[in-house]
Amino acid sequence: MPPFVEVNNLTKHFPVQKGFLEAMFSGKRDFVRAVDGISFSIKKGETFGLVGESGSGKTTTGRILVRLIEPTSGEIEFDGQPVTRMNAEEAQTFRRRAQIVFQDPAAALNPRMTVGNAIKHALDIHGIGSDIERREEVLRMLKRVGLTPPDNFHNKYPHQLSGGQRQRVVIGRAMILKPQFVVADEPVAMVDVSIRAQILDLMVSLKQEFGLTYVFITHDLATANYFCDRIAIMYLGKIAEIGLRGEVFKSPKHPYTVALMSAIPVPDPKHKPERLIPRGAIPSPITPPSGCRFHPRCPKAFNRCPNEDPGMTRITSTHEVACHLFDETKAGQ
């Protein structure tokens, strides 16, 4: 079966704004290389995790997937259709099938719009149903995402809700069009720890009910382990490792993945795991390191790492890593 979403050599470079004199005398334009040539595919019904530190490019990737921003180059296919070459009519249909849940619900919701109108807005844009039918659909969705009784929430404003309630509104707004593909950008990062599991369980039940395909963006590997089927580890605009959840967690290959795994807290005060914290800070995405981008911080770097960009090496049929340690051509070095 062909992949539901396929990404090939995707890049997004943001131009750096300079002052007039600096731009005149520098003679060149600089770019933030937020996403720099990544490829992956997602099966229908799968939950695909994009994991990495802040600045790794995972949120930019998610926004490109739903066409909130346009890529600099590369191709995206959604259910066999080229997303980057859709006409206006095709793009309108695509937006009904692909939605996003933002990280910060307070910023994502219009403070002057009631909860009911915020969720109904997508129905208005696409001209779905009469006014009465739209209101009934909104009340059903409020109840479905756990905001009950729905009549009590319909006319409230975002500032009158808790963080967890606002996140449920954002999820309801994404689900009101009954999409097939949802990008969830750190959906539990802004809510209290005590209700994170409830939000994740809600998303799992919605996936089962609507047959959703998720892209789940997070910096928290423990959450990714709970929620995702496959995981891609991103670092400075590149994919360092990609594989099934069990493969990545039980047998991490890339030194960066190994370091991330060592930072996962263990609920045992007697267990003292070794923290493999990478040395130094993340380099600038404007002037990323040559070769492997992790090599300045990597404890296992050798002579090829600063000079050659490692391609993806297949470990198993479902597990790949971008590291010269596993490149077959390393033999004899």
PDB file of all heavy atoms in Angstrom, residues 151-173:
ATOM      1  N   ASP A 151     -23.446  23.416  26.588  1.00  0.00           N
ATOM      2  CA  ASP A 151     -24.103  24.731  26.597  1.00  0.00           C
ATOM      3  C   ASP A 151     -23.401  25.712  27.533  1.00  0.00           C
ATOM      4  O   ASP A 151     -23.433  26.925  27.309  1.00  0.00           O
ATOM      5  CB  ASP A 151     -25.568  24.588  27.017  1.00  0.00           C
ATOM      6  CG  ASP A 151     -26.416  23.961  25.923  1.00  0.00           C
ATOM      7  OD1 ASP A 151     -26.393  24.493  24.800  1.00  0.00           O
ATOM      8  OD2 ASP A 151     -27.066  22.930  26.179  1.00  0.00           O
ATOM      9  N   ASN A 152     -22.765  25.188  28.573  1.00  0.00           N
ATOM     10  CA  ASN A 152     -22.065  26.056  29.516  1.00  0.00           C
ATOM     11  C   ASN A 152     -20.772  26.642  28.931  1.00  0.00           C
ATOM     12  O   ASN A 152     -20.281  27.660  29.405  1.00  0.00           O
ATOM     13  CB  ASN A 152     -21.726  25.293  30.794  1.00  0.00           C
ATOM     14  CG  ASN A 152     -22.946  25.041  31.654  1.00  0.00           C
ATOM     15  OD1 ASN A 152     -24.060  25.429  31.297  1.00  0.00           O
ATOM     16  ND2 ASN A 152     -22.746  24.370  32.781  1.00  0.00           N
ATOM     17  N   PHE A 153     -20.209  25.954  27.929  1.00  0.00           N
ATOM     18  CA  PHE A 153     -18.943  26.393  27.336  1.00  0.00           C
ATOM     19  C   PHE A 153     -19.143  27.157  26.033  1.00  0.00           C
ATOM     20  O   PHE A 153     -18.242  27.897  25.613  1.00  0.00           O
ATOM     21  CB  PHE A 153     -18.035  25.181  27.082  1.00  0.00           C
ATOM     22  CG  PHE A 153     -17.472  24.576  28.329  1.00  0.00           C
ATOM     23  CD1 PHE A 153     -18.139  23.546  28.984  1.00  0.00           C
ATOM     24  CD2 PHE A 153     -16.284  25.035  28.875  1.00  0.00           C
ATOM     25  CE1 PHE A 153     -17.628  22.984  30.145  1.00  0.00           C
ATOM     26  CE2 PHE A 153     -15.761  24.488  30.033  1.00  0.00           C
ATOM     27  CZ  PHE A 153     -16.435  23.463  30.673  1.00  0.00           C
ATOM     28  N   HIS A 154     -20.274  26.981  25.382  1.00  0.00           N
ATOM     29  CA  HIS A 154     -20.476  27.517  24.042  1.00  0.00           C
ATOM     30  C   HIS A 154     -20.249  29.019  23.975  1.00  0.00           C
ATOM     31  O   HIS A 154     -19.633  29.525  23.016  1.00  0.00           O
ATOM     32  CB  HIS A 154     -21.888  27.162  23.549  1.00  0.00           C
ATOM     33  CG  HIS A 154     -22.120  27.509  22.116  1.00  0.00           C
ATOM     34  ND1 HIS A 154     -22.532  28.760  21.710  1.00  0.00           N
ATOM     35  CD2 HIS A 154     -21.991  26.770  20.992  1.00  0.00           C
ATOM     36  CE1 HIS A 154     -22.654  28.774  20.390  1.00  0.00           C
ATOM     37  NE2 HIS A 154     -22.332  27.584  19.932  1.00  0.00           N
ATOM     38  N   ASN A 155     -20.707  29.775  24.948  1.00  0.00           N
ATOM     39  CA  ASN A 155     -20.624  31.241  24.907  1.00  0.00           C
ATOM     40  C   ASN A 155     -19.508  31.817  25.766  1.00  0.00           C
ATOM     41  O   ASN A 155     -19.457  33.032  25.984  1.00  0.00           O
ATOM     42  CB  ASN A 155     -21.968  31.854  25.317  1.00  0.00           C
ATOM     43  CG  ASN A 155     -23.064  31.552  24.306  1.00  0.00           C
ATOM     44  OD1 ASN A 155     -22.817  31.533  23.098  1.00  0.00           O
ATOM     45  ND2 ASN A 155     -24.269  31.295  24.793  1.00  0.00           N
ATOM     46  N   LYS A 156     -18.629  30.968  26.264  1.00  0.00           N
ATOM     47  CA  LYS A 156     -17.503  31.465  27.055  1.00  0.00           C
ATOM     48  C   LYS A 156     -16.372  31.932  26.132  1.00  0.00           C
ATOM     49  O   LYS A 156     -16.271  31.521  24.975  1.00  0.00           O
ATOM     50  CB  LYS A 156     -16.990  30.375  27.992  1.00  0.00           C
ATOM     51  CG  LYS A 156     -17.912  30.120  29.184  1.00  0.00           C
ATOM     52  CD  LYS A 156     -17.256  29.192  30.189  1.00  0.00           C
ATOM     53  CE  LYS A 156     -18.134  29.034  31.428  1.00  0.00           C
ATOM     54  NZ  LYS A 156     -17.508  28.173  32.452  1.00  0.00           N
ATOM     55  N   TYR A 157     -15.495  32.763  26.702  1.00  0.00           N
ATOM     56  CA  TYR A 157     -14.324  33.245  25.978  1.00  0.00           C
ATOM     57  C   TYR A 157     -13.084  32.505  26.486  1.00  0.00           C
ATOM     58  O   TYR A 157     -13.079  31.980  27.605  1.00  0.00           O
ATOM     59  CB  TYR A 157     -14.166  34.754  26.169  1.00  0.00           C
ATOM     60  CG  TYR A 157     -15.202  35.553  25.413  1.00  0.00           C
ATOM     61  CD1 TYR A 157     -16.440  35.849  26.000  1.00  0.00           C
ATOM     62  CD2 TYR A 157     -14.960  36.001  24.118  1.00  0.00           C
ATOM     63  CE1 TYR A 157     -17.398  36.574  25.304  1.00  0.00           C
ATOM     64  CE2 TYR A 157     -15.912  36.725  23.412  1.00  0.00           C
ATOM     65  CZ  TYR A 157     -17.131  36.999  24.012  1.00  0.00           C
ATOM     66  OH  TYR A 157     -18.076  37.702  23.318  1.00  0.00           O
ATOM     67  N   PRO A 158     -12.026  32.447  25.675  1.00  0.00           N
ATOM     68  CA  PRO A 158     -10.840  31.672  26.066  1.00  0.00           C
ATOM     69  C   PRO A 158     -10.284  32.027  27.443  1.00  0.00           C
ATOM     70  O   PRO A 158      -9.832  31.132  28.171  1.00  0.00           O
ATOM     71  CB  PRO A 158      -9.834  32.001  24.952  1.00  0.00           C
ATOM     72  CG  PRO A 158     -10.683  32.272  23.757  1.00  0.00           C
ATOM     73  CD  PRO A 158     -11.903  32.965  24.293  1.00  0.00           C
ATOM     74  N   HIS A 159     -10.324  33.306  27.836  1.00  0.00           N
ATOM     75  CA  HIS A 159      -9.735  33.684  29.121  1.00  0.00           C
ATOM     76  C   HIS A 159     -10.538  33.142  30.304  1.00  0.00           C
ATOM     77  O   HIS A 159     -10.046  33.135  31.438  1.00  0.00           O
ATOM     78  CB  HIS A 159      -9.622  35.212  29.230  1.00  0.00           C
ATOM     79  CG  HIS A 159     -10.934  35.915  29.433  1.00  0.00           C
ATOM     80  ND1 HIS A 159     -11.741  36.304  28.380  1.00  0.00           N
ATOM     81  CD2 HIS A 159     -11.593  36.277  30.573  1.00  0.00           C
ATOM     82  CE1 HIS A 159     -12.820  36.893  28.857  1.00  0.00           C
ATOM     83  NE2 HIS A 159     -12.765  36.889  30.187  1.00  0.00           N
ATOM     84  N   GLN A 160     -11.750  32.671  30.041  1.00  0.00           N
ATOM     85  CA  GLN A 160     -12.586  32.116  31.109  1.00  0.00           C
ATOM     86  C   GLN A 160     -12.342  30.620  31.320  1.00  0.00           C
ATOM     87  O   GLN A 160     -12.973  30.020  32.194  1.00  0.00           O
ATOM     88  CB  GLN A 160     -14.057  32.365  30.785  1.00  0.00           C
ATOM     89  CG  GLN A 160     -14.444  33.837  30.739  1.00  0.00           C
ATOM     90  CD  GLN A 160     -15.882  34.047  30.292  1.00  0.00           C
ATOM     91  OE1 GLN A 160     -16.266  33.688  29.183  1.00  0.00           O
ATOM     92  NE2 GLN A 160     -16.688  34.619  31.184  1.00  0.00           N
ATOM     93  N   LEU A 161     -11.461  30.044  30.536  1.00  0.00           N
ATOM     94  CA  LEU A 161     -11.188  28.607  30.609  1.00  0.00           C
ATOM     95  C   LEU A 161      -9.808  28.347  31.182  1.00  0.00           C
ATOM     96  O   LEU A 161      -8.918  29.203  31.132  1.00  0.00           O
ATOM     97  CB  LEU A 161     -11.278  27.974  29.209  1.00  0.00           C
ATOM     98  CG  LEU A 161     -12.558  28.212  28.411  1.00  0.00           C
ATOM     99  CD1 LEU A 161     -12.462  27.507  27.066  1.00  0.00           C
ATOM    100  CD2 LEU A 161     -13.780  27.735  29.176  1.00  0.00           C
ATOM    101  N   SER A 162      -9.616  27.145  31.693  1.00  0.00           N
ATOM    102  CA  SER A 162      -8.289  26.708  32.141  1.00  0.00           C
ATOM    103  C   SER A 162      -7.451  26.332  30.917  1.00  0.00           C
ATOM    104  O   SER A 162      -7.961  26.213  29.798  1.00  0.00           O
ATOM    105  CB  SER A 162      -8.421  25.515  33.081  1.00  0.00           C
ATOM    106  OG  SER A 162      -8.883  24.376  32.369  1.00  0.00           O
ATOM    107  N   GLY A 163      -6.160  26.118  31.152  1.00  0.00           N
ATOM    108  CA  GLY A 163      -5.279  25.734  30.053  1.00  0.00           C
ATOM    109  C   GLY A 163      -5.701  24.429  29.407  1.00  0.00           C
ATOM    110  O   GLY A 163      -5.687  24.293  28.175  1.00  0.00           O
ATOM    111  N   GLY A 164      -6.079  23.450  30.224  1.00  0.00           N
ATOM    112  CA  GLY A 164      -6.521  22.173  29.675  1.00  0.00           C
ATOM    113  C   GLY A 164      -7.805  22.295  28.883  1.00  0.00           C
ATOM    114  O   GLY A 164      -7.971  21.645  27.839  1.00  0.00           O
ATOM    115  N   GLN A 165      -8.725  23.137  29.349  1.00  0.00           N
ATOM    116  CA  GLN A 165      -9.974  23.346  28.626  1.00  0.00           C
ATOM    117  C   GLN A 165      -9.726  24.042  27.293  1.00  0.00           C
ATOM    118  O   GLN A 165     -10.340  23.699  26.277  1.00  0.00           O
ATOM    119  CB  GLN A 165     -10.943  24.149  29.492  1.00  0.00           C
ATOM    120  CG  GLN A 165     -11.499  23.374  30.673  1.00  0.00           C
ATOM    121  CD  GLN A 165     -12.267  24.254  31.640  1.00  0.00           C
ATOM    122  OE1 GLN A 165     -12.084  25.481  31.683  1.00  0.00           O
ATOM    123  NE2 GLN A 165     -13.153  23.642  32.425  1.00  0.00           N
ATOM    124  N   ARG A 166      -8.822  25.020  27.287  1.00  0.00           N
ATOM    125  CA  ARG A 166      -8.493  25.694  26.020  1.00  0.00           C
ATOM    126  C   ARG A 166      -7.882  24.718  25.028  1.00  0.00           C
ATOM    127  O   ARG A 166      -8.157  24.772  23.828  1.00  0.00           O
ATOM    128  CB  ARG A 166      -7.532  26.861  26.282  1.00  0.00           C
ATOM    129  CG  ARG A 166      -8.197  28.080  26.883  1.00  0.00           C
ATOM    130  CD  ARG A 166      -7.306  29.303  26.774  1.00  0.00           C
ATOM    131  NE  ARG A 166      -6.131  29.183  27.628  1.00  0.00           N
ATOM    132  CZ  ARG A 166      -6.041  29.694  28.851  1.00  0.00           C
ATOM    133  NH1 ARG A 166      -7.078  30.339  29.385  1.00  0.00           N
ATOM    134  NH2 ARG A 166      -4.933  29.557  29.563  1.00  0.00           N
ATOM    135  N   GLN A 167      -7.051  23.789  25.541  1.00  0.00           N
ATOM    136  CA  GLN A 167      -6.455  22.805  24.635  1.00  0.00           C
ATOM    137  C   GLN A 167      -7.529  21.899  24.041  1.00  0.00           C
ATOM    138  O   GLN A 167      -7.460  21.515  22.869  1.00  0.00           O
ATOM    139  CB  GLN A 167      -5.411  21.969  25.365  1.00  0.00           C
ATOM    140  CG  GLN A 167      -4.547  21.117  24.435  1.00  0.00           C
ATOM    141  CD  GLN A 167      -3.716  21.973  23.498  1.00  0.00           C
ATOM    142  OE1 GLN A 167      -2.924  22.804  23.911  1.00  0.00           O
ATOM    143  NE2 GLN A 167      -3.896  21.776  22.205  1.00  0.00           N
ATOM    144  N   ARG A 168      -8.548  21.561  24.811  1.00  0.00           N
ATOM    145  CA  ARG A 168      -9.661  20.761  24.286  1.00  0.00           C
ATOM    146  C   ARG A 168     -10.434  21.528  23.212  1.00  0.00           C
ATOM    147  O   ARG A 168     -10.895  20.932  22.239  1.00  0.00           O
ATOM    148  CB  ARG A 168     -10.589  20.350  25.435  1.00  0.00           C
ATOM    149  CG  ARG A 168      -9.973  19.340  26.397  1.00  0.00           C
ATOM    150  CD  ARG A 168     -10.887  19.064  27.585  1.00  0.00           C
ATOM    151  NE  ARG A 168     -10.231  18.234  28.578  1.00  0.00           N
ATOM    152  CZ  ARG A 168     -10.256  16.895  28.575  1.00  0.00           C
ATOM    153  NH1 ARG A 168     -10.921  16.254  27.633  1.00  0.00           N
ATOM    154  NH2 ARG A 168      -9.638  16.211  29.524  1.00  0.00           N
ATOM    155  N   VAL A 169     -10.557  22.838  23.392  1.00  0.00           N
ATOM    156  CA  VAL A 169     -11.211  23.661  22.368  1.00  0.00           C
ATOM    157  C   VAL A 169     -10.411  23.619  21.067  1.00  0.00           C
ATOM    158  O   VAL A 169     -10.975  23.465  19.972  1.00  0.00           O
ATOM    159  CB  VAL A 169     -11.368  25.116  22.857  1.00  0.00           C
ATOM    160  CG1 VAL A 169     -11.893  26.006  21.721  1.00  0.00           C
ATOM    161  CG2 VAL A 169     -12.319  25.182  24.039  1.00  0.00           C
ATOM    162  N   VAL A 170      -9.089  23.760  21.168  1.00  0.00           N
ATOM    163  CA  VAL A 170      -8.239  23.734  19.976  1.00  0.00           C
ATOM    164  C   VAL A 170      -8.339  22.382  19.274  1.00  0.00           C
ATOM    165  O   VAL A 170      -8.390  22.308  18.037  1.00  0.00           O
ATOM    166  CB  VAL A 170      -6.777  24.055  20.358  1.00  0.00           C
ATOM    167  CG1 VAL A 170      -5.848  23.838  19.178  1.00  0.00           C
ATOM    168  CG2 VAL A 170      -6.668  25.495  20.853  1.00  0.00           C
ATOM    169  N   ILE A 171      -8.389  21.306  20.042  1.00  0.00           N
ATOM    170  CA  ILE A 171      -8.552  19.976  19.452  1.00  0.00           C
ATOM    171  C   ILE A 171      -9.917  19.865  18.786  1.00  0.00           C
ATOM    172  O   ILE A 171     -10.048  19.353  17.663  1.00  0.00           O
ATOM    173  CB  ILE A 171      -8.369  18.876  20.520  1.00  0.00           C
ATOM    174  CG1 ILE A 171      -6.911  18.857  21.006  1.00  0.00           C
ATOM    175  CG2 ILE A 171      -8.767  17.514  19.971  1.00  0.00           C
ATOM    176  CD1 ILE A 171      -6.678  17.957  22.208  1.00  0.00           C
ATOM    177  N   GLY A 172     -10.963  20.373  19.460  1.00  0.00           N
ATOM    178  CA  GLY A 172     -12.296  20.343  18.870  1.00  0.00           C
ATOM    179  C   GLY A 172     -12.372  21.146  17.586  1.00  0.00           C
ATOM    180  O   GLY A 172     -13.026  20.736  16.619  1.00  0.00           O
ATOM    181  N   ARG A 173     -11.697  22.284  17.557  1.00  0.00           N
ATOM    182  CA  ARG A 173     -11.685  23.106  16.339  1.00  0.00           C
ATOM    183  C   ARG A 173     -11.015  22.369  15.185  1.00  0.00           C
ATOM    184  O   ARG A 173     -11.448  22.454  14.036  1.00  0.00           O
ATOM    185  CB  ARG A 173     -10.945  24.421  16.617  1.00  0.00           C
ATOM    186  CG  ARG A 173     -10.969  25.399  15.455  1.00  0.00           C
ATOM    187  CD  ARG A 173     -10.277  26.693  15.790  1.00  0.00           C
ATOM    188  NE  ARG A 173      -8.858  26.496  16.084  1.00  0.00           N
ATOM    189  CZ  ARG A 173      -8.020  27.502  16.342  1.00  0.00           C
ATOM    190  NH1 ARG A 173      -8.479  28.755  16.389  1.00  0.00           N
ATOM    191  NH2 ARG A 173      -6.749  27.266  16.588  1.00  0.00           N
TER     192      ARG A 173
END
